[in-house]
Structure formats: structure tokens, C-alpha cells
Amino acid sequence: MMRTAKIDRKTRETDISLRLCLDGTGKTSLATGVGFFDHMLDALSRFAQLDLTLRCDGDLQVDAHHTVEDVGICLGRAIREALGDRAGIRRVGSAYMPMDEALAFAAIDVSGRPYLAWDAAFTAPMCGAMDTQLAEEFFRAVAVNAGLTVHMRLMAGRNDHHRMEALFKAFGLALRDAMRLDATIEGVLSTKGTLD
């Protein structure tokens, strides 16, 4: 069975429709109105090998904050729904991602205990139309709503486009590993017998 989820969320700030398949090939159809953010979501999806269809109509006349954070909320909820009871998954994944001069690291535990440890700073305030500070808000929203423990670290780099993209790709690689099904795992991989 394919692990899929559909999330629709409408507020006074954003109107989001999201379709997710964890057992995909990295296919995307993305329209958030923030081109650089679409580029990052495409990178994440391709490296996680998940299929993502996303439309977001947000209050971009204000700025991109609500769009980026609310997409993170919806993606996190979709990941949680698609994983179901999380039986048979590897649960933990980590990855280093080099991108030219940049190097990023991500580690994920599908623990049911939301947490984001973030160690990344950018020199430029913007990448395209996306405030660089919004990367942390996005990953926090994903972690909280998916029930993930996430550690992310930016280790090297000068170009903020490369540095940001390395972080998104590292997260995708780590997520791919953590959500991978393993036939040798019976039930959930937990000494407690549950991932909550």
C-alpha cells in the first residue's frame, strides 16, 4: 500500500491544498507564490523521494512568513498521517549534504516527540523572495506537526542559496532514511512499544 495523505487548510492568511505520497519518485507540482521556496520544496521532495502536490494562496502582500510556516504545518501533518502507526519504519535517519562550498547536516527521529535543534545562520536577509529566517520556521512547523525530533546544522559555505539548499536536501535525505520500511522490524522500533 502506498503511504499517502491529503491536507486542506484554510485560514484568513493562507489557503493550502497538499497531496503527499511517501513512496514516490520525487515528482512535484508546486505553487506557493514564492519561487525560491518552491525550489527548496522541490529539492527536499526529490532527495526524500516523495511525491508532493502543493498549492498555497497566501497573504504575500504582507510577506512570505505565513505561507512558508503554514506550508510547514500542512507538510508535517501530511507526513504524520501518511506514516500511520509508523510500524516497520527505520525511524531514524541522518545525512550530510555537500553543495559546492556548502555543507549541511540533518538528523531525524520519528519519535512522536516534536523538537527542532537549529544551528544555521545566513549572511543575506533574503534568498529570492524568501526571508532566510523563514527556513527555521518552516522546519520547526514540520517537526512539531509531524512529531519529529530534528537536528539541523549548517557546517560550511559562503553562498546562501547553496547553504539553504544543502539544508533542505539534507533534511530530505534524512527523512527518506527514517521513513523507509524495513522488513526486519516488527511493529514499531521502540523500547516502549509505541512512538508517542
Side-chain angles (χ1 to χ4, degrees), residues 1-191:
M1 270 183 74
M2 301 292 272
R3 297 174 294 171
T4 63
K6 298 178 181 181
I7 302 293
D8 294 298
R9 182 177 187 266
K10 186 172 184 177
T11 71
R12 289 190 294 177
E13 297 170 340
T14 58
D15 183 356
I16 297 173
S17 174
L18 185 151
R19 305 294 178 261
L20 175 70
C21 176
L22 296 182
D23 305 302
T25 59
K27 294 178 185 175
T28 61
S29 175
L30 306 166
T32 67
V34 184
F36 185 80
F37 186 42
D38 288 348
H39 179 45
M40 294 300 100
L41 292 171
D42 183 62
L44 187 162
S45 300
R46 288 178 189 272
F47 277 73
Q49 290 290 282
L50 55 83
D51 294 343
L52 179 62
T53 300
L54 169 65
R55 178 197 51 77
C56 176
D57 296 319
D59 56 354
L60 296 179
Q61 75 280 3
V62 176
D63 63 15
H65 189 112
H66 300 139
T67 292
V68 173
E69 184 175 31
D70 289 7
V71 166
I73 290 169
C74 291
L75 181 58
R77 289 178 182 176
I79 290 169
R80 187 178 197 113
E81 181 180 316
L83 285 172
D85 64 6
R86 292 164 269 181
I89 65 167
R90 294 187 61 180
R91 178 179 162 176
V92 176
S94 62
Y96 288 94
M97 181 67 209
M99 184 167 177
D100 298 337
E101 87 295 347
L103 179 64
F105 174 77
I108 295 174
D109 181 6
V110 186
S111 61
R113 296 183 305 278
Y115 183 78
L116 174 66
W118 179 261
D119 184 6
F122 300 93
T123 55
M126 304 288 287
C127 278
M130 180 174 160
D131 185 328
T132 51
Q133 292 183 1
L134 295 181
E136 182 177 2
E137 299 304 317
F138 169 76
F139 286 112
R140 179 173 291 108
V142 173
V144 167
N145 287 275
L148 307 176
T149 299
V150 179
H151 288 253
M152 300 188 72
R153 178 177 295 174
L154 188 54
M155 304 175 72
R158 295 180 305 279
N159 181 290
D160 280 338
H161 184 130
H162 295 164
R163 287 149 51 94
M164 182 84 75
E165 192 165 341
L167 284 164
F168 273 78
K169 287 178 176 177
F171 182 89
L173 286 169
L175 180 63
R176 179 181 179 184
D177 202 23
M179 68 185 184
R180 183 175 294 154
L181 291 166
D182 186 331
T184 66
I185 298 172
E186 295 183 15
V188 294
L189 187 60
S190 170
T191 55

